[in-house]
Amino acid sequence: MILLLLLSLSADFEQQIAPILIEHCLPCHNGSNAQGSLRLSTHARASKAIVPGSPKKSTLFTSVESGTMPPAGRLSRDQRELIRSWIADGAKWPDGVTLEGLKASQAEHDSVARLHDRIVAALKKDDFKPYKFTNPAFEMVPIPEGDFLMGTPDRKDESPQHKVHISPFWMGKFEVTWDEYRLFMFSKDDGVDAVTRPTRPYVEMSFGMGIEGYPAISMTQHAANKYAEWLSAHTGQFYRLPTEAEWEYACRAGTTAAPDHPDDYAWYLANSNGKYQKAGTKKPNAWGLYDMLGNVMEWTLDQYEPYRSAPAADPWIRPSKPYPIAVRGGSWMDPAGAIRCGARTPSDPSWKQQDPQMPKSIWYETDAQGLGFRLVRPLKIPSAEGMFKYWNNGVEKDP
Amino acid sequence: MEDRRRFLKSTGIALAAGALLKGQNSNAIKVGLVGCGGRGTGAAAQALKADDYAALTALADISQDRIDQCIDQISKTQAAKVKVDPKNQFLGLDAYQKLIDSGVDVVLLATPPGFRPVHLRACIDANKHVFCEKPIAVDAPGVRHVLETAKMAKQKNLSLVAGFCWRYSNYIVETFDQIHGGALGDLVAYYATYYTSPVKPMPPASDRPAGMSDVEWQIKNWYNFLWVCGDSIVEQAVHSADKIAWAMHDQPAVSCVGVGGRQIPAEGGNIYDHFEVNYVYPNNFRAFLGCRQIDNCWNENADYILGSKGACTIGRGPMPHITGQTEWTFTGTKNDMYQHEHDVLFASIRQNKPIADGERMATSTLLAMMGRMAAYTGQEITWEQALNSQERIFPDKLDWNGSLAVPAMPRPGQTKFL
């Protein structure tokens, strides 16, 4: 008990530090061929790189702070700060804990690897054209490769504007509807066993606003990720949530001009009549996407973080903490000012405040009745490990 | 929140004047939790958040796993306030009394409801302030016991906050303020729905470990047994009964008739999975309460309140709305009602202004319970009959290792009202 208290006062090893080490360090610093003969899998081995109480004397911290490690890219400021504070507070590592034991179960990785192989094997030289799928019914629209200016001048959370390059992908023509999402929630005999499914919702999740043809709402980002994994297994094609940059690029659709009056293309506070509306009943944007703005706001893959000014190519800030995650597009509840391609909404713990239990559900945001998502399908298929990262945010549990 | 912060600045003064925390030399409020499941853990986290000097010092449950999980979970965000010495972790059916005797100031009661009357009495006997989850009993003797306890709490100036959470929800409070302010004209009828999936379905009998006693098995699967759960209408749809009572200014119903039964195999349990009850109130006001816990059906948790000049709907769409002579929708920001329950409780302790939810939580529970009695027996049941029912559903004596037969489910027309 005492140990637990000490740990929790600083960074929590199992919840916060171990996941960083597992993801960013262990791929090279583990096993008998560990780089620099440094292994980070157990306390004894890792001690070589850690001086408890002195982050600046610990190569674990100095190398990630300077950015020399990990080679694939510098850790986020939060992740670096977690490591610093953990070492500063004595680098407590619970007795007997080895990091292998904390990895996501090998079975999950294996299952994603098999799915990856199936997707690659099924790959046809698809024309980069619009297409439809029938069960579940959805349509995808090709979004061409290109560059755009991400952000909005003079708005604090949307500045600085910066240049972003985006690789080609298909995007859902409509927001994912209950018709599609409920197949994932309720159908157990569809040949997809390996993907975890939502717990049965206790209350009726459309809250009387309509099901057939209406957008699905009130799911967590974790649930949306699992839907993407389920759909990928179901179709043999790789689907995932869009990054924040992909979403904004697709929303702007090659234009910089102010769009028409929001009444023409969006359901929002002034015209929604207090509820969401059927998908695709307003005008599409220039690239044929419906309801990008309004109706339901949409999950992206990114942690909600300040923008940097440097140009970027296909940027993605993978979440390292449960809140806030970036949500886009505004919803039927929002005023016109929030119905903009540049506008960002941070996810918030209050979206689960109706859940009386602790720990809270990892599947439902019962109080976010204007929150949904749509999926993308990148033209270039990632590695199996890449797929795993897209589908597992690692921060699905609320603190 | 603003109010609370402002208040906490003057905590020292309030304490000096306050008589509620007798013999205290510090600002600390020691909190004990009885029932460390998901709801109890949530309640404890909210209690700790409600007051800068609240500390969790004691836990009681039937399972050490639950206690450990509760500590781990709350420590993630409020480690500095978790001060549960191993000697203050109590296990077993008498753990609640040991917890009360461990020197706590506030007790959170979050076990299954069958235990509540005895637990609550012990708290008030020992001069503890209480947060008491709903419902508060599984039978009428339990309700009467709690009514007595509520009086004792009042006499002792102890705060007793009930987990009928909608009473602490700002947007539902505002909705009922509108209704009581006449936005619907004279009230005519209330239709409340509580159609959901099963809450905690019975596991297969093969999951029962060899040698586990009936009592332990039934408590661990408490939702499925009448004696400890009170049945689905009392355990869950009681929230809707509470709102009906609220609309009626908490005056008793005159009588009710009801139907109910079980469609899905009970797998060894003995609760119904559906009820529909029709309540009569003075002035020909009628209230209808429907509840069901079956998968793959139309799920809905809503309230439709009809008046002579308008209608109010709660639970269809995120915001309650009123149509008719008055057009109204809640436009503010919803509060966290679970947190607010504890903010109010702890502020009441600091300010020596006790909250007395006791009587109301007993009568709202009885309102749901009389619906159950009507459905079980097939008879019309009056409020007086329900209140004076002699049927004891919760056992007088419970032995952790004991056997406990599961009575057959009631059959309307054959089951007698007692």
Side-chain angles (χ1 to χ4, degrees):
Chain A
M1 216 56 63
I2 302 294
L3 178 69
L4 186 89
L5 289 179
L6 287 171
L7 273 176
S8 303
L9 285 171
S10 58
D12 181 283
F13 180 80
E14 294 188 37
Q15 290 291 321
Q16 298 177 303
I17 302 300
I20 299 173
L21 299 181
I22 288 169
E23 181 179 346
H24 298 286
C25 310
L26 259 64
C28 303
H29 293 287
N30 193 20
S32 52
N33 297 322
Q35 291 293 314
S37 65
L38 172 65
R39 294 197 241 171
L40 292 170
S41 53
T42 69
H43 190 193
R45 289 171 183 149
S47 304
K48 203 171 161 182
I50 299 166
V51 182
S54 303
K56 287 186 177 162
K57 292 181 189 165
S58 305
T59 49
L60 175 65
F61 175 69
T62 54
S63 62
V64 298
E65 181 64 18
S66 66
T68 45
M69 287 290 153
R74 199 176 181 202
L75 297 181
S76 75
R77 190 182 307 164
D78 282 343
Q79 290 172 320
R80 284 178 276 133
E81 171 55 22
L82 278 171
I83 290 175
R84 193 203 60 74
S85 70
W86 174 66
I87 296 175
D89 291 337
K92 296 286 189 305
W93 188 311
D95 285 345
V97 169
T98 71
L99 296 188
E100 282 95 339
L102 292 175
K103 277 188 195 178
S105 90
Q106 195 55 44
E108 283 176 58
H109 283 276
D110 290 349
S111 139
V112 169
R114 282 194 300 274
L115 177 53
H116 171 266
D117 294 347
R118 186 152 69 82
I119 288 170
V120 170
L123 193 61
K124 293 192 291 268
K125 195 71 195 149
D126 273 326
D127 289 336
F128 193 46
K129 284 183 178 167
Y131 67 90
K132 283 186 189 185
F133 204 87
T134 46
N135 184 30
F138 63 92
E139 297 184 43
M140 301 297 286
V141 174
I143 305 298
E145 180 165 16
D147 298 279
F148 81 114
L149 266 182
M150 184 167 176
T152 317
D154 305 327
R155 288 189 185 258
K156 188 167 160 278
D157 289 350
E158 302 168 30
S159 297
Q161 266 192 322
H162 53 291
K163 198 175 160 192
V164 173
H165 179 82
I166 298 288
S167 299
F169 60 93
W170 285 272
M171 188 175 223
K173 188 173 182 177
F174 307 109
E175 289 160 341
V176 172
T177 63
W178 282 120
D179 310 65
E180 300 154 69
Y181 194 71
R182 284 162 65 92
L183 290 174
F184 161 64
M185 287 171 77
F186 297 122
S187 166
K188 298 291 179 196
D189 48 3
D190 52 12
V192 179
D193 305 326
V195 183
T196 55
R197 308 283 185 98
T199 50
R200 292 244 150 187
Y202 171 63
V203 293
E204 194 276 304
M205 295 306 296
S206 81
F207 301 93
M209 294 191 285
I211 292 175
E212 282 177 34
Y214 290 95
I217 55 163
S218 295
M219 72 295 288
T220 57
Q221 196 224 29
H222 173 70
N225 286 331
K226 290 293 132 183
Y227 176 81
E229 183 177 1
W230 172 83
L231 188 68
S232 301
H234 190 75
T235 59
Q237 297 168 336
F238 174 66
Y239 293 92
R240 61 164 168 80
L241 285 175
T243 65
E244 208 182 348
E246 286 166 345
W247 191 95
E248 184 169 330
Y249 174 66
C251 183
R252 293 188 184 279
T255 65
T256 49
D260 309 334
H261 194 274
D263 273 340
D264 293 337
Y265 55 86
W267 295 108
Y268 67 111
L269 184 64
N271 66 9
S272 66
N273 200 21
K275 65 186 282 295
Y276 59 47
Q277 301 291 330
K278 281 202 173 174
T281 47
K282 290 282 185 185
K283 280 188 199 167
N285 75 3
W287 285 346
L289 301 167
Y290 290 80
D291 302 316
M292 287 297 284
L293 295 175
N295 214 16
V296 297
M297 54 185 177
E298 301 176 13
W299 279 117
T300 73
L301 279 174
D302 291 62
Q303 191 93 70
Y304 185 97
E305 293 229 343
Y307 287 162
R308 292 172 200 176
S309 52
D314 297 318
W316 175 32
I317 301 173
R318 188 168 185 245
S320 59
K321 54 189 178 186
Y323 299 97
I325 290 173
V327 175
R328 290 303 201 103
S331 82
W332 61 267
M333 294 188 220
D334 287 315
I339 306 299
R340 296 181 296 109
C341 291
R344 313 172 74 200
T345 301
S347 69
D348 191 88
S350 71
W351 294 0
K352 287 184 184 176
Q353 74 183 9
Q354 217 180 108
D355 183 350
Q357 305 274 332
M358 209 173 165
K360 293 192 180 246
S361 168
I362 62 171
W363 297 105
Y364 297 104
E365 310 268 6
T366 311
D367 292 280
Q369 297 178 10
L371 172 66
F373 68 102
R374 79 178 71 212
L375 295 180
V376 298
R377 177 185 168 201
L379 196 58
K380 183 169 183 288
I381 297 175
S383 67
E385 193 48 35
M387 288 185 180
F388 185 88
K389 284 184 184 174
Y390 286 124
W391 292 332
N392 295 278
N393 66 19
V395 293
E396 68 272 22
K397 290 178 185 164
D398 276 31
Chain B
M1 277 310 268
E2 255 330 292
D3 283 351
R4 188 166 70 84
R5 275 193 218 109
R6 230 180 293 126
F7 166 66
L8 282 170
K9 281 183 194 155
S10 61
T11 288
I13 302 161
L15 260 192
L20 287 185
L21 294 165
K22 294 191 181 81
Q24 287 273 1
N25 295 322
S26 75
N27 277 352
I29 297 183
K30 292 185 207 161
V31 179
L33 167 65
V34 184
C36 302
R39 178 72 275 267
T41 302
Q46 285 139 9
L48 297 186
K49 251 187 240 167
D51 189 290
D52 287 356
Y53 300 98
L56 186 63
T57 62
L59 295 173
D61 202 283
I62 54 163
S63 147
Q64 184 67 42
D65 281 355
R66 288 278 195 198
I67 288 178
D68 292 344
Q69 285 163 15
C70 176
I71 291 174
D72 287 355
Q73 181 65 39
I74 299 175
S75 297
K76 284 182 190 172
T77 50
Q78 304 188 82
K81 290 178 159 185
V82 179
K83 299 174 179 170
V84 192
D85 196 283
K87 76 173 168 36
N88 287 335
Q89 299 174 21
F90 304 105
L91 282 177
L93 294 177
D94 59 351
Y96 73 96
Q97 190 65 55
K98 294 175 185 164
L99 176 139
I100 291 169
D101 296 340
S102 74
V104 294
D105 303 304
V106 176
V107 181
L108 317 177
L109 297 180
T111 65
F115 300 101
R116 198 88 72 241
V118 169
H119 289 184
L120 181 62
R121 176 64 62 87
C123 291
I124 301 303
D125 275 344
N127 300 319
K128 308 302 177 191
H129 304 285
V130 176
F131 170 75
C132 179
E133 255 307 339
K134 46 49 65 177
I136 53 81
V138 297
D139 54 19
V143 171
R144 295 195 295 272
H145 193 255
V146 168
L147 281 168
E148 257 179 50
T149 311
K151 275 187 199 150
M152 293 164 57
K154 247 185 181 172
Q155 282 160 5
K156 290 181 159 194
N157 268 358
L158 294 168
S159 244
L160 173 48
V161 167
F164 281 106
C165 47
W166 296 114
R167 305 260 189 171
Y168 291 89
S169 156
N170 63 342
Y171 75 101
I172 300 296
V173 167
E174 224 176 277
T175 305
F176 279 89
D177 284 350
Q178 287 286 331
I179 294 168
H180 291 153
L184 307 185
D186 297 329
L187 295 189
V188 174
Y190 196 124
Y191 171 46
T193 60
Y194 221 106
Y195 304 128
T196 68
S197 301
V199 175
K200 296 175 191 289
M202 196 67 192
S206 56
D207 280 9
R208 180 169 173 171
M212 182 182 279
S213 75
D214 290 347
V215 170
E216 180 176 357
W217 175 245
Q218 290 176 31
I219 291 176
K220 287 188 169 162
N221 296 294
W222 64 273
Y223 207 96
N224 300 277
F225 298 95
L226 174 62
W227 70 269
V228 60
C229 159
D231 211 326
S232 51
I233 187 172
V234 173
E235 201 286 328
Q236 201 56 220
V238 71
H239 279 299
S240 298
D242 182 56
K243 279 182 278 183
I244 291 170
W246 192 354
M248 289 286 96
H249 296 282
D250 295 297
Q251 67 177 313
V254 174
S255 66
C256 71
V257 294
V259 294
R262 183 148 192 119
Q263 293 287 350
I264 303 303
E267 308 293 354
N270 66 344
I271 65 165
Y272 280 8
D273 56 16
H274 63 279
F275 290 89
E276 293 268 343
V277 181
N278 177 346
Y279 295 95
V280 182
Y281 275 87
N283 299 321
N284 294 318
F285 178 85
R286 290 275 181 171
F288 310 92
L289 171 56
C291 59
R292 177 179 56 212
Q293 297 183 347
I294 302 179
D295 273 332
N296 303 320
C297 298
W298 172 257
N299 277 1
E300 184 186 298
N301 179 202
D303 303 81
Y304 306 90
I305 307 149
L306 306 181
S308 57
K309 292 177 179 167
C312 175
T313 304
I314 304 171
R316 306 270 74 196
M319 298 300 183
H321 48 274
I322 289 173
T323 54
Q325 184 179 277
T326 304
E327 297 282 333
W328 177 83
T329 304
F330 179 80
T331 52
T333 304
K334 294 176 180 178
N335 70 344
D336 180 343
M337 57 186 173
Y338 305 109
Q339 185 57 49
H340 190 52
E341 289 169 341
H342 292 273
D343 291 348
V344 168
L345 171 63
F346 282 79
S348 79
I349 295 170
R350 291 295 188 193
Q351 294 166 335
N352 197 6
K353 289 181 182 162
I355 305 285
D357 285 350
E359 183 178 348
R360 192 174 76 196
M361 71 187 189
T363 52
S364 285
T365 301
L366 187 66
L367 186 62
M369 200 179 286
M370 77 188 276
R372 183 191 74 194
M373 293 170 179
Y376 278 5
T377 61
Q379 308 302 322
E380 181 188 60
I381 303 293
T382 66
W383 181 266
E384 298 307 319
Q385 275 179 303
L387 182 60
N388 294 304
S389 159
Q390 297 302 306
E391 185 173 25
R392 288 187 179 276
I393 289 171
F394 191 78
D396 279 341
K397 281 187 182 163
L398 266 183
D399 172 6
W400 181 246
N401 298 310
S403 56
L404 193 59
V406 180
M409 262 180 284
R411 300 184 68 173
Q414 296 177 24
T415 297
K416 298 289 177 218
F417 175 81
L418 299 173

